[in-house]
Amino acid sequence: MSNILQLRGGGVGLVLDCSGPGLPAVLHWGADLGELSADALLELRRGAGVVQDGNGLDDNRPIAIVPEYSAGWFGLPGLNGHRDGQDFSASFELTGVTQTGDGVRGGSGVRVEGVDGVAGLGLGLVVEVTGAGLVKMKAELTNTGSTTYTLDGLYLALPVPTEATELLDLTGRHIGERHPQRHAFTQGAHVRDNRRGRTGADATLLLLAGTEGFGFRSGEIWGVHTAWSGNHRSYAERGMSGYGVIGGGELLLPGEVRIAPGGTYATPWIYGSYGIGLDQVSRRFHEYLRSRPNHPRTERPVVLNTWEAVYFDLDLDKLKALADAAAEVGAERFVLDDGWFRGRRDDHAGLGDWYVDEGTWPKGLHPLVDHVKSRGLQFGLWVEPEMVNPDSDLARAHPDWILATGNRMPPTARHQQGLNLGIPEAYEYILERLDSLLTEYDIAYLKWDHNRDFVDGGNQHTGQAGVHAQTNAVYQLIDELKRRHPGLEIESCSSGGARVDLGILERTDRVWGSDSNDALERQTIQRYTQLLLPPELIGCHVGPPRAHTTGRTQTLSFRAITALFGHFGIEWDIASATPEERAELKGWVALHKELRPLLHTGQVVRADRGPDDVLVHGVVAQDGSRAVFGVVQVRQSVTSAVGRIRLPGLDPQQTYRIKMVTTPGPAARSAAWSADGGSVELTGAALASVGVLVPAQWPENAILLDVTAIG
């Protein structure tokens, strides 16, 4: 086997130099170069060699996937750690390379072993290119020495060329997640550290480096994602040599991981995606996620969630009426949100006491569950297993189970603390409670919430930081519940969209995009959440006419069109809605059911436009036979008309019939072709390059276009 390896998949190529003596370096990550001969690979290595700096090291080497200080990398080192102050700098020698062939869902992979006999460390490195063209990497660090090794961080990095001059990442807050921000990719490090104990509302799902002005449909882009639900780091760095990398890993708190002799620490998976335009970068993630054995295979049920309908007012008759209204409009799953358990009248008390409240529910949840099931609906339940209110029986009995340093309690947030699932007894208690509920009741779905950041997230018993153990315990808990209850679906909710990552998505079935159901806010939130996740994994609900989080009043058509492009649901007291509103909502539910086979399997596309007063996005069938597009008037345009709207992603050779699915709002001025239910026929090439005129709309309105191939 050659010591220079090609990993290929999905039109992406990665050339890995495993010639030693040190850890492998990436010679190329980008477009597939085709099958290269051994001689051609040697020439590629020669051509990609490093420049010898007159004032630098005499033997410059390419930067390894785990960048080493000992090899002359003066940026952020891949490995940080020590053995009581010694062995602070590792230098690994390559000892083994095993190619894994085509087993990675149509891709290829390699496992590399390295040792540092002086530092007493072994490193196993897995690098794969999936059939969708994603790079997957992880490392395992083993302590082969005779004393404990303190690990402060292990990060993996991929090279990016000098052509990548801009960075794009995401930030946000509660009810305002996933807002993009751009930066110049200059010398030095751009570091996004997260110490919230969960992925974070302000976390960057992807850190992207690209050519100047890259957009959804253009520009060469390289991006990374850290698949971890606890503290983590994503970073981009360019040294004075011009060499650039992007990478990430778990962010460890001081002393959090101490590897005993013979012990091993494994990093989370780090994903890399290359593409032309953000749409192709995100499409690789979508294709990969859809290829997983555990990806939801059934049609995503239309959900009615009770939270914004009733909040804590859990009256049985009122909930039955809500279930009746849900069935009337065509919902398929009824989710009882917060407030059902012992002592829970508001958010000040009860978390941790996961027993059905006897005062509110003298016969348990059975009357409600039976009624919901009788109406043809699945039943779902809200839980927050990782949290505890100080005002709870659990906290009073086990104050030492609270995540804390041991000599003080962290400040409360939302009147709650973290429950330390790293303590075996606490873990077993929560497992027993959830297992009992799932056994007693026919629960198809858990809305699994996590409503606070961790401060001083430690183990009171040991005095050590506890976020690493907590995150692994949550993963183990979900895995065990799913093992015991096959078919159970779980939503990752965390103050809305504060836990969205591929670590939690390996074991859950959707995420809650945001606690904001304001359709205008949701346009941005969903647009950028879909950089990582396909629509069927993002919960998108029709909220009430007046948004509870912003006070805006919006039409039902705008709220519904916004929710269509995800896992559709309702979060509104529709039992109190007018008959006309329920009839209109029923039509939207029926339309979503008609479109969801397309929406939940097709390719997400987004148009690049100059002014951001109009957003254009859609889903195109994999074979190009059909598409549906939303044209969203975000704000008042400077001009009286927005001009022609380009529709990207269609087969340029096909001719398509374009019809307006929805009737424009009262302020819209119709385009001639769409008047009286008309249509227009254009090729995919014409739609991508010329576009089609659409009615001018008032702000916070949207039009839905149906695009069908006719030859």
Side-chain angles (χ1 to χ4, degrees):
M1 182 176 64
S2 171
N3 56 14
I4 305 177
L5 306 178
Q6 273 189 284
L7 306 181
R8 305 169 63 201
V12 169
L14 186 141
V15 180
L16 199 61
D17 183 0
C18 298
S19 57
L23 294 175
V26 175
L27 301 179
H28 167 74
W29 170 39
D32 189 358
L33 303 177
E35 189 66 35
L36 300 180
S37 67
D39 287 343
L41 289 170
L42 284 170
E43 288 300 298
L44 181 67
R45 181 174 66 181
R46 289 184 63 214
V50 296
V51 175
Q52 299 303 123
D53 187 345
N55 195 41
L57 302 179
D58 291 335
D59 182 22
N60 269 348
R61 286 181 278 170
I63 304 305
I65 288 177
V66 180
E68 293 178 303
Y69 181 48
S70 60
W73 175 247
F74 296 108
L76 295 170
L79 175 62
N80 284 308
H82 63 94
R83 203 181 297 274
D84 196 21
Q86 298 181 336
D87 300 327
F88 69 95
S89 176
S91 180
F92 288 99
E93 178 184 351
L94 189 66
T95 59
V97 180
T98 306
Q99 207 158 356
T100 60
D102 297 333
V104 194
R105 294 179 220 164
S108 56
V110 64
R111 181 177 177 87
V112 176
E113 305 289 343
V115 297
D116 183 338
V118 175
L121 296 171
L123 185 72
L125 183 64
V126 177
V127 183
E128 302 172 351
V129 174
T130 73
L134 285 182
V135 176
K136 288 181 64 178
M137 308 184 298
K138 71 183 304 183
E140 297 172 352
L141 184 71
T142 301
N143 182 2
T144 61
S146 59
T147 59
T148 297
Y149 181 83
T150 300
L151 178 65
D152 295 323
L154 181 52
Y155 306 107
L156 308 183
L158 289 166
V160 291
T162 54
E163 285 80 2
T165 58
E166 290 186 0
L167 298 175
L168 173 67
D169 58 6
L170 305 175
T171 186
R173 63 176 181 86
H174 178 233
I175 68 173
E177 300 88 341
R178 246 70 80 216
H179 284 264
Q181 53 186 13
R182 282 185 183 260
H183 323 262
F185 192 176
T186 56
Q187 307 298 324
H190 176 74
V191 181
R192 295 294 305 275
D193 280 353
N194 183 288
R195 295 179 176 84
R196 297 182 180 276
R198 54 179 172 171
T199 320
D202 60 341
T204 179
L205 298 190
L206 290 171
L207 176 58
L208 301 140
T211 53
E212 184 177 358
F214 68 85
F216 285 105
R217 306 298 299 175
S218 64
E220 206 174 1
I221 306 170
W222 298 260
V224 291
H225 169 78
T226 302
W228 182 247
S229 308
N231 298 332
H232 61 280
R233 166 176 289 175
S234 300
Y235 75 99
E237 185 167 18
R238 177 160 281 138
M240 292 306 297
S241 65
Y243 197 90
V245 297
I246 53 175
E250 181 183 8
L251 183 67
L252 297 173
L253 297 175
E256 191 165 27
V257 172
R258 302 176 74 242
I259 309 174
T264 297
Y265 164 83
T267 70
W269 285 106
I270 308 300
Y271 290 81
S273 184
Y274 165 82
I276 304 300
L278 293 168
D279 281 358
Q280 189 176 71
V281 168
S282 61
R283 187 174 304 142
R284 299 196 190 284
F285 284 103
H286 298 181
E287 290 178 3
Y288 169 76
L289 288 165
R290 286 169 171 170
S291 72
R292 301 171 302 158
N294 62 324
H295 190 75
R297 301 297 174 202
T298 59
E299 290 189 331
R300 303 292 75 220
V302 174
V303 174
L304 184 134
N305 184 279
T306 66
W307 180 242
E308 290 196 19
V310 299
Y311 291 105
F312 288 105
D313 184 15
L314 300 190
D315 174 79
L316 179 58
D317 289 337
K318 189 172 185 176
L319 291 169
K320 284 183 175 180
L322 191 58
D324 292 342
E328 175 191 333
V329 300
E332 298 158 309
R333 176 180 284 165
F334 181 94
V335 179
L336 179 64
D337 212 286
D338 196 357
W340 56 268
F341 46 97
R342 188 179 291 169
R344 190 70 163 177
R345 298 296 179 270
D346 53 34
D347 64 356
H348 287 69
L351 285 177
D353 299 340
W354 300 108
Y355 296 85
V356 177
D357 189 275
E358 299 86 350
T360 305
W361 310 92
K363 296 181 180 179
L365 294 177
H366 293 291
L368 178 60
V369 175
D370 292 346
H371 184 79
V372 167
K373 297 285 291 181
S374 74
R375 300 312 308 267
L377 301 165
Q378 298 177 3
F379 182 78
L381 192 65
W382 180 95
V383 292
E384 194 172 1
E386 302 154 74
M387 299 294 158
V388 60
N389 285 123
D391 185 3
S392 67
D393 293 340
L394 180 65
R396 285 184 282 270
H398 299 286
D400 58 314
W401 287 5
I402 292 174
L403 278 164
T405 62
N407 64 351
R408 63 177 180 267
M409 282 290 115
T412 56
R414 295 176 64 141
H415 317 291
Q416 64 193 56
Q417 298 282 10
L419 181 66
N420 190 352
L421 298 180
I423 297 173
E425 295 81 4
Y427 174 92
E428 290 298 329
Y429 164 76
I430 292 296
L431 175 60
E432 185 279 328
R433 282 288 76 228
L434 296 180
D435 183 45
S436 295
L437 288 165
L438 292 167
T439 300
E440 181 176 356
Y441 299 103
D442 186 2
I443 298 172
Y445 178 85
L446 290 178
K447 179 182 176 182
W448 187 298
D449 217 336
H450 179 295
N451 273 319
R452 68 154 295 169
D453 297 325
F454 292 146
V455 177
D456 276 356
N459 187 320
Q460 295 186 56
H461 294 182
T462 65
Q464 292 181 296
V467 174
H468 172 77
Q470 178 81 0
T471 307
N472 279 322
V474 171
Y475 288 170
Q476 179 183 341
L477 178 61
I478 294 174
D479 290 345
E480 178 60 19
L481 287 170
K482 285 205 158 189
R483 185 191 69 80
R484 294 186 185 188
H485 302 277
L488 173 69
E489 291 194 2
I490 295 178
E491 173 185 70
S492 171
C493 176
S494 185
S495 306
R499 184 153 63 183
V500 178
D501 63 82
L502 297 192
I504 201 70
L505 258 299
E506 278 300 314
R507 42 196 46 89
T508 55
D509 303 279
R510 82 168 198 171
V511 301
W512 181 223
S514 175
D515 278 345
S516 177
N517 283 319
D518 180 314
L520 183 61
E521 298 295 324
R522 275 290 187 136
Q523 288 295 326
T524 297
I525 292 166
Q526 293 170 197
R527 189 176 183 84
Y528 288 96
T529 303
Q530 286 181 359
L531 281 182
L532 184 68
L533 303 183
E536 65 269 24
L537 295 182
I538 306 170
C540 309
H541 292 181
V542 178
R546 185 176 185 271
H548 291 195
T549 53
T550 64
R552 290 192 185 103
T553 299
Q554 295 159 339
T555 64
L556 178 50
S557 65
F558 184 50
R559 285 140 53 209
I561 290 174
T562 301
L564 277 175
F565 288 90
H567 184 173
F568 189 88
I570 305 158
E571 198 156 340
W572 170 22
D573 184 9
I574 57 173
S576 300
T578 67
E580 293 77 17
E581 286 174 321
R582 284 203 298 273
E584 184 181 350
L585 178 60
K586 183 176 181 178
W588 287 112
V589 171
L591 179 61
H592 176 76
K593 290 179 179 179
E594 176 193 334
L595 293 176
R596 69 184 166 188
L598 166 63
L599 293 168
H600 294 173
T601 63
Q603 297 181 0
V604 173
V605 296
R606 289 150 289 204
D608 289 310
R609 281 179 56 84
D612 59 0
D613 48 16
V614 174
L615 299 178
V616 181
H617 62 90
V619 178
V620 180
Q622 296 291 342
D623 63 1
S625 62
R626 193 180 180 195
V628 60
F629 284 88
V631 181
V632 184
Q633 188 76 41
V634 175
R635 61 183 62 84
Q636 189 77 38
S637 296
V638 174
T639 56
S640 59
V642 298
R644 291 187 295 244
I645 298 296
R646 292 178 175 183
L647 303 181
L650 299 164
D651 183 344
Q653 305 303 318
Q654 288 267 30
T655 298
Y656 293 90
R657 178 178 294 116
I658 303 94
K659 296 191 68 173
M660 198 171 298
V661 178
T662 55
T663 303
R669 294 183 295 280
S670 293
W673 67 266
S674 63
D676 301 320
S679 63
V680 65
E681 297 177 4
L682 294 166
T683 65
L687 287 167
S689 298
V690 180
V692 62
L693 194 66
V694 297
Q697 306 180 86
W698 269 356
E700 298 179 48
N701 277 279
I703 294 168
L704 203 62
L705 300 178
D706 188 299
V707 181
T708 305
I710 58 174

